[in-house]
Amino acid sequence: MTLWTSAAIAAATGGVASADFVANGVAFDSREVGPGDLFVALSGEATDGHRFVAQAFAQGAAGAIVARPVDGPHVLVEDTVRALDLLATAARSRTAARVIGVTGSVGKTGTKEALFACLDRITHGHAHRSVKSYNNHTGVPLSLARMPADTQAAVFEMGMNHAGELSRLTRLVRPGVAIVTTIAPAHTAFFSGEDAIARAKGEIFEGLVSGGVAIVPFDSPHRDTLIAAARSHAARIVTFGLRDGADVQAVEHVRSVGGGSFVTARVGTHEVSYTIAPPGEHWVANSLAVLAAVDAIGGDLGIAGLALADLEGLAGRGARQSIAVGGGEALLIDESYNANPASMRATLKVLAAERATRRVAVLGEMRELGEASDAYHAALAVPVDEAGVSRVVLVGAGMLPLAKALEGRIETVHVADAATAAAVLTDMLAPGDAVLVKGSNGVGLAQVVARLSGQG
């Protein structure tokens, strides 16, 4: 199906088409361009996308958006970054889809993926989502530009590390439903404290369309801050959580066979029981936010429950696999994509629930925590102890405070980088172990996962 014609691109961006062409996809990374895609040559501080236009055409691009003439079909604009925003705006305006926005310090991507699984099943394949973690000033408009006109439901992840960022992004997305998952210390180098983070996350409600619904975490100490942020933009505010008083509440949740949870939830006047495959109480909370959103758009809660049961862990965000070690197998829990104090505690609780001969934790430093970074890292000693971890490998200079806090308590190895951690683990693991790998993405613990799983 045609996603964009050159005429539609020109009309949306105010550009001039050099020739007629049709595109069935959009990309701004030349390495991701496939046959029939539109390549947007973004110019930034680090690089100029115009350098890769020829490569994009060689890979089958149907056309390009450029700020200077090139060989090949293109739409010429004054500013390609602005043009991508305008294309995103046009994509949002031409669809009648029910649009949901998701943000939060923890759980954005997992909640977005779970919600997409529900929407895709409910709409019989006519749902759309932002892929990967495309949640910033270029990723959000790209995800919007990729949305087909006949989409029935869509979910977009939005992130930020400075005040004001979400305000801009949500006005592009214009959600009918906006979710804040969790408020936790993240990017604290750019904020005065958690309340400032909550206010910045609350900017997502500024983009709500008329009649929009705000969904906020009932159990959060920042609930009232978020409700205040939503009150002047939302027609209705819905809370979700594990405690009494939440509009969408887990009446009961127990660990199920296989490591997930069996949940009975009350959604308004309805009650629904379902299984959520990824383990951990934080995933129970995520699933409640998903049900709240499905209910807000009038979706079928029973079908949503079936989709949640089929959901598997995402690479870097809870994916689980058996790995070969010492003539037997160990369990590998891949949480290598991101980390902050709240998500560290949550995933260590997941590790604690595993029936294993030994529990091993590979923890990379948590970045962008500002002046309180040392304290946040040292405080992880408590959840590490509570998880019954017998061996821990700490990666990065930021983990020195935790290494000192654990000294003499459990077997601890502190290394400088992911490559060294992977080498250390080769001789450390034994059959029956459960291994958690978690850290900020910049630490590169994905290579530890790849090494352990035989892919690197």
Side-chain angles (χ1 to χ4, degrees), residues 111-132:
T111 299
K112 179 256 297 181
E113 290 295 326
L115 188 47
F116 172 76
C118 296
L119 298 176
D120 201 48
R121 188 170 294 199
I122 290 168
T123 63
H124 304 288
H126 287 85
H128 177 75
R129 74 190 186 286
S130 47
V131 298
K132 300 181 180 179

Side-chain angles (χ1 to χ4, degrees), residues 172-370:
L172 277 177
V173 173
R174 291 193 295 120
V177 178
I179 302 170
V180 177
T181 57
T182 305
I183 302 299
H187 309 299
T188 52
F190 309 113
F191 293 96
S192 59
E194 279 192 31
D195 195 60
I197 295 172
R199 291 194 300 273
K201 293 295 185 183
E203 293 172 9
I204 192 173
F205 304 127
E206 296 175 11
L208 281 169
V209 299
S210 177
V213 179
I215 298 176
V216 303
F218 182 82
D219 303 335
S220 171
H222 306 287
R223 177 188 64 208
D224 292 344
T225 297
L226 293 171
I227 289 175
R231 191 167 285 129
S232 60
H233 304 286
R236 185 159 60 98
I237 299 173
V238 176
T239 61
F240 69 93
L242 308 181
R243 289 163 33 196
D244 290 343
D247 298 315
V248 178
Q249 181 192 351
V251 179
E252 182 182 25
H253 62 95
V254 295
R255 184 177 170 87
S256 63
V257 177
S261 300
F262 179 76
V263 186
T264 298
R266 185 173 57 246
V267 185
T269 59
H270 303 285
E271 196 168 278
V272 57
S273 295
Y274 58 96
T275 299
I276 180 75
E281 199 171 77
H282 59 299
W283 261 107
V284 176
N286 290 348
S287 73
L288 297 173
V290 168
L291 291 183
V294 169
D295 186 60
I297 65 169
D300 189 310
L301 293 173
I303 293 177
L306 292 174
L308 289 172
D310 290 339
L311 192 69
E312 296 181 353
L314 306 174
R317 295 183 173 87
R320 301 156 74 85
Q321 60 178 301
S322 294
I323 57 173
V325 291
E329 290 186 338
L331 172 66
L332 173 62
I333 304 171
D334 176 13
E335 286 276 359
S336 60
Y337 186 79
N338 208 351
N340 59 45
S343 65
M344 280 286 199
R345 289 193 299 270
T347 49
L348 282 165
K349 286 181 68 175
V350 170
L351 180 62
E354 293 300 331
R355 295 177 181 175
T357 305
R358 298 181 309 178
R359 299 182 185 95
V360 179
V362 184
L363 306 178
E365 62 186 11
M366 304 175 290
R367 296 184 173 177
E368 296 185 355
L369 291 180

Side-chain angles (χ1 to χ4, degrees), residues 10 48-49 86-87 99-100 145 151 215 230 259 279 313 331 349-350 413 445:
D48 182 356
L86 291 171
L87 197 65
V99 176
I100 301 168
T151 298
I215 298 176
L331 172 66
K349 286 181 68 175
V350 170
V413 179
L445 294 186

